[in-house]
């Protein structure tokens, strides 16, 4: 299930944060610990899984003078680790991920989700752009099977089409046309096979003389 994150969070006091960071670091097994500053701001790492169904546009630095861009698909399930602070918002995390992969697409096309495991069920909650992912990581602890982050495109009904460039929209149409042709070919072959079997069955039916 995909749900929007609506619950307000009661942020922790400095003493509570200090205790949480200590407990968090004691449970860390991959050396990705959090660091608490004297000003109460803490830094740490989050892992974000990329689940992108549409192609992204990457700047081709070899041809940067001509502003050439290359659309391609990222491998689904690709995991990336970001070092952020407790002040970084979801919007800033999305921008940092795109910058890390040299992606030119508008950050408004994407959304960050948290994946939670509760009572043997998995819930996907879309986070608001003002949410703080490192706070969620701190409260949940370091185990990704309890809480993990996923970057996706906005749902179809939420897509900000005006954020796409004309070449991107034309590329989407080409992809849709290709997928439609492939599906038509699959259906044609399937019904052709059914027809052959039916005709074979009919030809074998005994007819009285």
């Amino acid at each position: 299930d995909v749900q929007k994150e609506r619950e307000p969070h009661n942020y922790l006091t400095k003493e509570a944060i200090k205790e949480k960071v200590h407990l968090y670091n004691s449970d860390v097994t991959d050396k990705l610990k959090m660091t608490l500053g004297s000003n109460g701001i803490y830094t740490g790492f989050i892992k974000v899984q990329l689940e992108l169904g549409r192609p992204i546009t990457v700047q081709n630095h070899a041809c940067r003078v001509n502003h050439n861009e290359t659309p391609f698909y990222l491998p689904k399930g690709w995991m990336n680790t970001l070092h952020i602070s407790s002040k970084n918002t979801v919007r800033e995390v999305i921008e940092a991920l795109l910058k890390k992969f040299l992606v030119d697409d508008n950050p408004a096309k994407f959304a960050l989700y948290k994946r939670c495991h509760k009572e043997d069920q998995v819930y996907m909650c879309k986070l608001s752009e003002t949410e703080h992912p490192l706070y969620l990581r701190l409260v949940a602890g370091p185990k990704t099977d309890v809480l993990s982050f996923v970057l996706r495109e906005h749902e179809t009904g939420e897509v900000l089409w005006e954020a796409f460039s004309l070449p991107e929209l034309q590329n989407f149409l080409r992809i849709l046309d290709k997928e439609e042709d492939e599906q038509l070919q699959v259906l044609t072959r399937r019904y052709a096979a059914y027809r052959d079997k039916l005709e074979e069955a009919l030809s074998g039916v005994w007819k009285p003389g």
Side-chain angles (χ1 to χ4, degrees):
D1 292 340
V2 176
Q3 304 170 348
K4 286 188 178 180
E5 180 62 53
R6 296 189 180 92
E7 298 178 3
H9 295 289
N10 298 317
Y11 285 92
L12 304 172
T13 63
K14 285 188 177 181
E15 285 301 316
I17 289 173
K18 184 177 180 180
E19 182 180 354
K20 279 282 187 184
V21 169
H22 176 74
L23 290 173
Y24 183 97
N25 289 339
S26 65
D27 289 337
V28 167
T29 58
D30 56 8
K31 298 183 180 181
L32 299 180
K33 295 185 176 183
M34 291 195 185
T35 303
L36 178 61
S38 57
N39 56 0
I41 297 173
Y42 49 97
T43 59
F45 299 86
I46 61 168
K47 294 180 180 180
V48 182
Q49 186 174 0
L50 278 61
E51 293 185 356
L52 305 179
R54 294 190 288 268
I56 59 172
T57 305
V58 177
Q59 184 70 45
N60 187 344
H61 284 272
C63 304
R64 199 174 184 89
V65 176
N66 297 324
H67 303 287
N68 285 353
E69 296 176 335
T70 306
F72 79 104
Y73 286 93
L74 277 176
K76 196 168 184 179
W78 200 351
M79 188 75 71
N80 197 269
T81 302
L82 284 179
H83 185 253
I84 62 173
S85 84
S86 54
K87 294 183 72 67
N88 288 130
T89 63
V90 163
R91 175 63 181 241
E92 290 170 334
V93 166
I94 293 174
E95 291 173 348
L97 276 170
L98 299 182
K99 184 177 180 180
K100 195 170 185 178
F101 287 105
L102 305 177
V103 177
D104 278 351
D105 295 76
N106 192 322
K109 301 175 187 177
F110 306 93
L112 190 68
Y113 292 77
K114 70 173 184 178
R115 180 188 285 130
C116 304
H117 296 255
K118 296 179 182 177
E119 299 177 355
D120 297 328
Q121 292 193 20
V122 179
Y123 297 90
M124 291 287 288
C125 301
K126 180 183 173 184
L127 299 173
S128 70
E129 290 192 341
T130 56
E131 187 63 271
H132 297 87
L134 196 61
Y135 172 81
L136 298 176
R137 181 77 280 161
L138 175 65
V139 172
K143 295 182 179 179
T144 55
D145 58 348
V146 175
L147 171 75
S148 58
F149 296 103
V150 180
L151 183 72
R152 289 180 172 180
E153 298 99 342
H154 281 292
E155 297 296 329
T156 304
E158 300 175 337
V159 174
L160 302 174
W161 294 111
E162 62 272 16
F164 290 85
S165 65
L166 183 59
E168 287 176 316
L169 293 173
Q170 291 172 337
N171 192 43
F172 289 155
L173 284 175
R174 284 194 294 270
I175 292 171
L176 286 174
D177 288 340
K178 181 181 177 183
E179 291 178 350
E180 183 181 9
D181 289 340
E182 290 174 351
Q183 290 298 320
L184 285 173
Q185 290 176 21
V186 169
L187 286 173
T188 300
R189 288 194 297 268
R190 183 182 301 170
Y191 282 101
Y194 288 159
R195 185 180 297 106
D196 290 342
K197 289 181 179 179
L198 181 58
E199 290 176 350
E200 182 181 347
L202 288 172
S203 64
V205 173
W206 177 79
K207 298 180 180 179

